[in-house]
Each structure stands twice: as structure tokens, then as C-alpha cells.
Amino acid sequence: DVHGAMQLAEQLRHDIESRQPDIGGGSRLRVTASIGVAVSQSDTPDLSTLQRQADQAMYQAKALGRNRVSLI
């Protein structure tokens, strides 16, 4: 469901952000993720449509400041 998808996406975003790989010399690399979530409104979802909507949601997340989850 939508709530579960958003929870999972947010957990993934948080887990990615919390990992800061050591890049040598005591420096760490900050990594973030912008994640788009799309939900089918029909019983027979068209995978290409869902992928396109998720991609649009990801670009929306980036436009809103990055490092966030967006839903379309």
C-alpha cells in the first residue's frame, strides 16, 4: 500500500544517508538519495507507466531540495 511504500522508501533514504564511507585521510563522503514512489490506481498496472511516474516523483524530490521521498 501507499503507506508501506512511503515507509520503505524513507527507511532506504535514511539508511543511505547514515552511511558515510571513509574516502581516506579521515574524510567521509556524504551520500544522499532522492526517491520517487508511484502507486498503481488500477488492478492491472502498466509497469512502464509506474516506472515513468516513479521517475517523475524522483525528479520532484530533487527539485524540492534533494534527499527526500516524493509520491506521485
Side-chain angles (χ1 to χ4, degrees):
D1 67 345
V2 175
H3 179 72
M6 291 296 288
Q7 266 189 317
L8 177 60
E10 184 57 38
Q11 184 63 50
L12 287 169
R13 187 207 60 76
H14 180 267
D15 289 349
I16 290 167
E17 182 181 28
S18 69
R19 294 181 182 12
Q20 295 187 2
D22 186 344
I23 57 173
S27 296
R28 298 213 170 261
L29 180 65
R30 183 170 183 254
V31 179
T32 63
S34 298
I35 300 174
V37 175
V39 179
S40 174
Q41 300 299 323
S42 72
D43 292 336
T44 55
D46 174 14
L47 186 56
S48 64
T49 300
L50 281 174
Q51 288 175 322
R52 188 173 54 256
Q53 290 172 339
D55 195 48
Q56 289 170 344
M58 183 262 310
Y59 282 110
Q60 179 182 13
K62 288 179 178 286
L64 292 172
R66 299 180 179 257
N67 194 30
R68 64 184 62 224
V69 175
S70 184
L71 170 70
I72 287 197

